[in-house]
């Protein structure tokens, strides 16, 4: 029993970065609290738009309103993060987001019933996120030593998935009891934790340019073009999200394959997040892995296999289990891909690479929704899920043939 206990403790998330580095601890806690508030707001906006319009299309447009600014400003936010004090940039982004959440609360209290106003605020929130996120992510390697980056990124994924699971649940309770304004106000107040964490950090100006070239978006893309291992981190994620992502199929599969309704759709949507949360909780082993490219490849392959199996599963609980496994695999992939970006890139390029990361993370799943929807229309939703997972595996195999050095990447001698 003692040996089993030690094994369980060894598999739990490594909290060394939280224990040993107070600046990182404050930043992590601030992000965890504000992340829950942001998810409460995301739920409240969608519910409010539907209450005003009774239109699924109008509700779906919320995603488009956030996607376009994320893609448009993500790259530029990263370039700015490589030029100015990242602490001040993070403060500016978090402050803007807090003001916008307060604005959402005011419009709800006043009963303005203006859908266009909601769309506009959502778009501006995405701009703030595109400014804040690259600055925050590029600061992590300055707050913890290189050997603790996998553990720090695992903890980051844990806080993100905690927000994705807890935020909507708490938000639903607040909306049901006190109305939309309650969720918005909680979000505005929650940003205080993020602002406090940023305020307590030391100055975070980028280190002197290692390239000797000007700071620009194009220069960042040229840097990425010449670094196959870093480029592969993005390509592997695109393969997983564009071909393997089955999210758009959940309503159809719930009705046709599982004979359920909205409750079944909710279970399907929650399963990957629950798996990702569990993957983050039991991530203590990631710091002992040095072959990050190989580990990322295995995680992406596991994602593809799980999604392909999900399309073949006719039992709901088996389908949920496979989706949870896919979510856990995605967390592992994200931990190692983020660590590679932070460790193998010079400090003056980290902001721009995090900007590209935002664009890929924001755009990939949306393209995946489109791809799976088209294939489902031409065949069936189950076939779409299965072929998507298999296409992810095939694309990954082709990428590894093209970039074999990715499998040999070693964190002890990081080579971009």
């Amino acid at each position: 029993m003692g040996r089993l206990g030690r094994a369980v403790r060894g598999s739990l998330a490594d909290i060394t970065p939280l224990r040993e580095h107070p600046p990182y601890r404050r930043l992590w806690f601030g992000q965890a609290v504000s992340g829950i508030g942001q998810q409460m707001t995301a739920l409240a906006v969608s519910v409010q738009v539907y209450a005003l319009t009774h239109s699924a299309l109008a509700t779906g447009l919320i995603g488009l309103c956030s996607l376009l600014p994320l893609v448009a400003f993500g790259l530029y936010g990263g370039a700015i993060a490589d030029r100015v004090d990242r602490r001040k940039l993070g403060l500016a982004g978090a402050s803007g987001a807090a003001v916008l959440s307060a604005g959402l609360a005011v419009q709800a209290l006043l009963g303005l019933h203006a859908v266009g106003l909601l769309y506009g605020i959502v778009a501006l929130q995405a701009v703030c996120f595109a400014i804040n996120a690259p600055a925050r992510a590029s600061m992590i390697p300055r707050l913890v030593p290189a050997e603790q980056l996998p553990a720090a990124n695992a903890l980051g994924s844990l806080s993100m998935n905690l927000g994705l699971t807890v935020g909507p649940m708490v938000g639903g309770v607040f909306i049901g009891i006190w109305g939309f304004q309650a969720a918005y106000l909680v979000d505005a107040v929650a940003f205080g934790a993020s602002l406090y964490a940023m305020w307590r950090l030391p100055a975070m100006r980028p280190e002197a340019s290692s390239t000797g070239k000007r700071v620009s978006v194009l220069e960042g893309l040229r840097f990425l073009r010449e670094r196959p291992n870093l480029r592969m981190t993005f390509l592997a994620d695109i393969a997983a999200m564009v071909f393997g992502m089955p999210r758009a199929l959940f309503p159809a599969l719930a009705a046709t394959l599982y004979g359920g309704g909205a409750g079944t759709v909710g279970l399907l949507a929650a399963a990957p997040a629950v798996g990702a949360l569990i993957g983050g909780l039991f991530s203590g082993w990631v710091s002992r892995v040095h072959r990050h490219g190989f580990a990322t490849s295995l995680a992406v392959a596991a994602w593809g296999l799980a999604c392909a199996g999900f399309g073949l599963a006719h039992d709901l609980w088996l389908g949920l289990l496979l989706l949870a496994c896919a979510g856990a695999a995605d967390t592992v992939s994200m931990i190692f891909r983020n660590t590679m970006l932070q460790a193998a890139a010079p400090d003056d390029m980290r902001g721009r690479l995090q900007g590209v990361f935002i664009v890929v993370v924001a755009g990939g799943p949306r393209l995946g929704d489109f791809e799976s929807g088209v294939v489902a229309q031409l065949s069936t939703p189950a076939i779409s899920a299965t072929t998507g997972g298999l296409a992810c595996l095939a694309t990954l195999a082709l990428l590894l043939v093209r970039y074999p050095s990715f499998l040999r990447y070693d964190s002890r001698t990081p080579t971009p």
Side-chain angles (χ1 to χ4, degrees):
M1 191 65 183
R3 184 177 299 176
L4 178 61
R6 287 192 296 271
V8 171
R9 286 194 297 273
S11 67
L12 291 175
D14 182 2
I15 62 170
T16 302
L18 294 175
R19 188 175 59 246
E20 295 184 353
H21 307 285
Y24 174 78
R25 180 169 64 242
R26 286 191 292 268
L27 191 67
W28 183 89
F29 180 76
Q31 180 58 28
V33 173
S34 63
I36 292 173
Q38 289 171 57
Q39 292 304 315
M40 291 175 64
T41 285
L43 176 70
V45 169
S46 63
V47 174
Q48 187 177 7
V49 168
Y50 187 78
L52 293 174
T53 64
H54 300 286
S55 167
L57 176 61
T59 307
L61 285 175
I62 298 171
L64 188 63
C65 289
S66 62
L67 173 63
L68 293 178
L70 281 175
V71 173
F73 288 91
L75 296 176
Y76 290 100
I80 296 171
D82 285 337
R83 184 180 300 171
V84 304
D85 186 338
R86 290 161 177 166
R87 169 184 170 271
K88 293 181 178 178
L89 186 61
L91 277 170
S95 299
V99 170
L100 290 168
S101 292
L104 285 170
V106 170
Q107 65 82 31
L109 285 167
L110 296 178
L112 298 182
H113 305 302
V115 175
L117 176 61
L118 292 172
Y119 287 159
I121 292 177
V122 166
L124 291 174
Q125 284 179 323
V127 173
C128 290
F129 179 81
I131 292 173
N132 184 9
R136 187 179 63 248
S138 57
M139 287 190 290
I140 302 300
R142 304 268 288 271
L143 300 177
V144 300
E147 64 271 15
Q148 292 181 17
L149 281 176
N153 286 313
L155 291 168
S157 74
L158 186 60
S159 71
M160 181 187 71
N161 287 301
L162 188 66
L164 289 171
T165 52
V166 174
M169 290 189 294
V170 176
V173 173
F174 273 70
I175 294 168
I177 298 176
W178 294 292
F180 305 115
Q181 62 272 13
Y184 299 141
L185 283 171
V186 169
D187 186 21
V189 173
F191 269 110
S194 182
L195 289 169
Y196 173 76
M198 290 281 186
W199 183 263
R200 291 287 305 275
L201 290 175
M204 285 280 177
R205 290 197 62 83
E207 295 174 358
S209 174
S210 60
T211 61
K213 300 177 181 178
R214 61 190 178 90
V215 177
S216 70
V217 172
L218 289 178
E219 195 55 48
L221 294 176
R222 290 192 193 99
F223 174 86
L224 192 59
R225 185 181 63 192
E226 298 165 1
R227 272 70 179 183
N229 287 334
L230 293 184
R231 185 165 67 251
M232 183 62 180
T233 63
F234 296 111
L235 295 175
D237 190 49
I238 290 172
M241 293 298 104
V242 173
F243 295 113
M245 173 62 74
R247 181 178 59 187
L249 306 173
F250 290 162
L253 287 170
T256 61
L257 193 61
Y258 301 121
T264 303
V265 177
L267 288 174
L268 295 174
V274 172
L277 185 62
I278 294 172
L281 283 172
F282 292 93
S283 59
W285 55 275
V286 297
S287 296
R288 299 189 289 272
V289 175
H290 301 292
R291 299 282 295 279
H292 289 180
F294 186 73
T296 298
S297 302
L298 286 180
V300 173
W303 163 275
L305 284 171
C307 291
F310 169 67
L312 297 173
H314 293 273
D315 178 78
L316 175 61
W317 295 108
L318 177 58
L320 293 174
L321 176 62
L322 288 168
L323 287 175
C325 290
D330 187 45
T331 288
V332 172
S333 168
M334 184 173 66
I335 290 169
F336 288 119
R337 287 185 292 108
N338 245 332
T339 302
M340 291 176 70
L341 285 178
Q342 293 165 345
D347 184 74
D348 63 291
M349 280 289 175
R350 286 176 184 149
R352 277 166 285 183
L353 293 185
Q354 288 297 329
V356 176
F357 183 84
I358 289 173
V359 172
V360 171
V361 169
R366 272 75 177 185
L367 289 174
D369 290 344
F370 177 74
E371 182 275 336
S372 59
V374 169
V375 176
Q377 184 66 31
L378 296 174
S379 55
T380 68
I383 289 176
S384 177
T386 299
T387 56
L390 295 176
C392 168
L393 292 170
T395 305
L396 175 65
L398 291 174
L399 288 171
L400 292 175
V401 170
R402 176 66 180 83
Y403 303 108
S405 64
F406 187 69
L407 292 173
R408 298 191 297 271
Y409 178 92
D410 193 313
S411 63
R412 291 165 293 194
T413 54
T415 305

